[in-house]
Amino acid sequence: MPNLLETRGLTAFYGDFQAIFGVDLELQAGETIAVIGANGAGKSTLMRSIAGVISNAPAMIHHRGSRSVHSMPPMSSAAGSPWCPRAASCFHP
């Protein structure tokens, strides 16, 4: 079965500043993972990259085996990773 989400050598930049370096991640259906680290470690940048909010090379992030998340619009739930920053409006009763 293909990975639900996969990154290979994922990098992200803010201008000339490289925020994350070569992140490899595999997530299978039914798995739960946690991304932990100190403030400024790149957790939000990683999630923004996966959601497509930060532009990366299309070959770096794949959804369900081979579909690049960058072929989908940012913040699309079809990508399986909508971006919802911490805010009360993200959760509706």
Side-chain angles (χ1 to χ4, degrees), residues 51-76:
V53 176
I54 297 175
S55 179
N56 290 288
M60 293 181 173
I61 305 170
H62 296 279
H63 179 250
R64 299 195 185 272
S66 61
R67 189 174 176 194
S68 170
V69 299
H70 293 284
S71 65
M72 301 175 228
M75 300 194 281
S76 166

Side-chain angles (χ1 to χ4, degrees), residues 10-15 17-20 42-58 60-61 69-70 72-75 81 83:
L10 180 66
T11 59
F13 290 83
Y14 291 107
F17 176 75
Q18 187 169 0
I20 56 175
K43 302 175 300 291
S44 294
T45 300
L46 174 64
M47 295 308 298
R48 287 181 183 122
S49 296
I50 291 171
V53 176
I54 297 175
S55 179
N56 290 288
M60 293 181 173
I61 305 170
V69 299
H70 293 284
M72 301 175 228
M75 300 194 281
S81 57
W83 177 247

